[in-house]
Amino acid sequence: CEPPPALVLALHCVSCGAKVSERGMQVRLLADTATTLFSTDSRPAGAVDLGDPVSLDDCICQLRDFACACGLRMGYHIERPCPSCAVDASHSWFLSDRCAHGSPLVSAAGEPLLWTSDGRGPPP
């Protein structure tokens, strides 16, 4: 049984209201499925890299935090995925749901836009 397609979301910074992406999706953190966050498959508009890339204890992915242009730390980016994480690396930008909010995008006909089942982009 496949999960239903996810809504395509416009993502905005909660601090300044800037639209940072029109390619957002609400996801659950793999390491803690009780934690929800947003992801996107492209660099958020105005994203500013913070610090140097780091690796976590249980994974060798290289992660780097990023902030909105206003300075609010919004999340992290997987700069170099490890072999296990590279399998599903279409979305590599992750935003805290405390630092961003999402609103569903709709087509010209007023229908909600949905991601394809492989998460690689909304249908044309």
Side-chain angles (χ1 to χ4, degrees):
C1 182
E2 207 171 292
L7 293 170
V8 178
L9 304 172
L11 302 176
H12 295 83
C13 173
V14 298
S15 177
C16 70
K19 185 188 304 179
V20 296
S21 178
E22 286 193 342
R23 298 185 58 80
M25 176 189 304
Q26 188 169 27
V27 296
R28 294 197 177 274
L29 188 63
L30 292 177
D32 175 9
T33 57
T35 301
T36 59
L37 58 157
F38 298 108
S39 70
T40 184
D41 61 351
S42 58
R43 183 180 184 88
V48 177
D49 292 335
L50 300 174
D52 293 322
V54 297
S55 292
L56 303 176
D57 293 335
D58 54 346
C59 181
I60 60 170
C61 285
Q62 292 287 297
L63 310 176
R64 185 188 304 249
D65 286 348
F66 72 92
C68 177
C70 75
L72 178 69
R73 184 204 167 278
M74 295 193 79
Y76 64 94
H77 167 58
I78 302 174
E79 286 196 350
R80 276 177 259 132
C82 71
S84 322
C85 295
V87 171
D88 186 23
S90 62
H91 280 230
S92 61
W93 295 85
F94 298 90
L95 296 79
S96 167
D97 63 0
R98 293 183 310 253
C99 300
H101 64 85
S103 54
L105 293 176
V106 295
S107 70
E111 297 294 321
L113 294 178
L114 303 173
W115 285 92
T116 57
S117 60
D118 63 5
R120 298 203 184 271

